[in-house]
Amino acid sequence: MERAAVFDVDGTLVDTNHLHVTTWWEAFRQAGQPVPMHAVHRAVGLGSRDLVAHLLGEDRDRAQDARISAAHKVLYGQYFDRLPPLPDAGRLLHRLHEDGWAVVLATSAGGAELAALRRAIDADDAITATASADDVAEGKPAPEPVEHALELAGAPADHSVFVGDTVWDMRAGTRAGVRCVGVLCGGIPRADLVAAGAEAIYDDPAHLLATLPESPFA
């Protein structure tokens, strides 16, 4: 029976969360919507539409939504050629692939952004499939991205593990019925990840790789 190792990307495999914080903050500022950076950080991991709604509320001027998202896309796009992978991200995916896991990415990124992230990870030969924002109707914390990743891998939830760095990841994985692993490299506190459903916590991909025999991947 196939087993899937499902990974979030931003903040989990690539060190991009604070780039997102800065570029979303600037996009909101340009729209005349001052949003504190700490609030933006807590919202990173949501898809663009949901992030704007989460931070500005349901009574916002929705006519601004597309402009804010477009501004973020342009600002963040300036970094596509130098996105930094987190320590041992590619090695971790290769090791899991060698151990017989179907490695699938589940991310709110799509298009050119996803291509830039995959270049940063540099492990395409270990990645079975990708469930991107382009493939699902609802993003995290809905379970759909993780469920779609499992479908692509042909693996049942009870034989799969999801690794992410945000509460949105942990909630999505829990709702999809998979075991959830949290990493701290995205900047979200350990207690928040545990409360959202993480059964194990690691510092970053290098830490998970170094302790793989004692992890939920054992």
Side-chain angles (χ1 to χ4, degrees):
M1 184 177 292
E2 195 67 82
R3 52 184 186 167
V6 183
F7 283 84
D8 170 62
V9 180
D10 282 298
T12 300
L13 297 172
V14 187
D15 193 10
T16 51
N17 278 11
H18 290 88
L19 291 175
H20 278 299
V21 171
T22 301
T23 52
W24 273 116
W25 173 85
E26 176 61 16
F28 283 117
R29 189 197 68 80
Q30 290 179 7
Q33 298 283 357
V35 178
M37 285 196 179
H38 70 84
V40 177
H41 184 205
R42 292 283 185 164
V44 167
L46 293 171
S48 294
R49 179 185 59 191
D50 294 332
L51 183 145
V52 173
H54 179 76
L55 290 172
L56 297 185
E58 292 302 317
D59 59 349
R60 69 192 184 282
D61 176 6
R62 295 170 188 254
Q64 289 189 317
D65 287 11
R67 182 153 54 96
I68 293 171
S69 293
H72 165 259
K73 187 174 183 178
V74 170
L75 291 162
Y76 182 64
Q78 298 176 75
Y79 299 98
F80 280 0
D81 62 345
R82 55 192 186 280
L83 299 180
L86 282 155
D88 284 345
R91 287 185 61 207
L92 173 61
L93 300 194
H94 278 114
R95 170 66 183 277
L96 289 169
H97 174 69
E98 291 165 4
D99 286 349
W101 292 82
V103 176
V104 185
L105 307 182
T107 172
S108 59
E113 180 182 348
L114 177 57
L117 291 165
R118 290 185 66 144
R119 285 195 300 272
I121 299 166
D122 192 23
D124 274 358
D125 54 336
I127 297 170
T128 299
T130 300
S132 77
D134 302 330
D135 303 321
V136 296
E138 281 193 87
K140 306 165 194 172
E144 193 172 345
V146 180
E147 291 170 345
H148 183 54
L150 299 180
E151 290 171 5
L152 293 173
D158 61 358
H159 279 63
S160 302
V161 179
F162 179 44
V163 183
D165 68 298
T166 69
V167 296
W168 318 114
D169 293 325
M170 299 301 100
R171 290 174 185 172
T174 298
R175 291 169 183 173
V178 300
R179 301 175 73 183
C180 293
V181 169
V183 288
L184 300 174
C185 41
I188 299 302
R190 177 187 300 267
D192 291 6
L193 296 174
V194 171
E199 69 170 76
I201 303 288
Y202 300 88
D203 294 336
D204 55 20
H207 184 203
L208 176 54
L209 177 62
T211 55
L212 209 56
E214 295 81 44
S215 78
F217 288 103

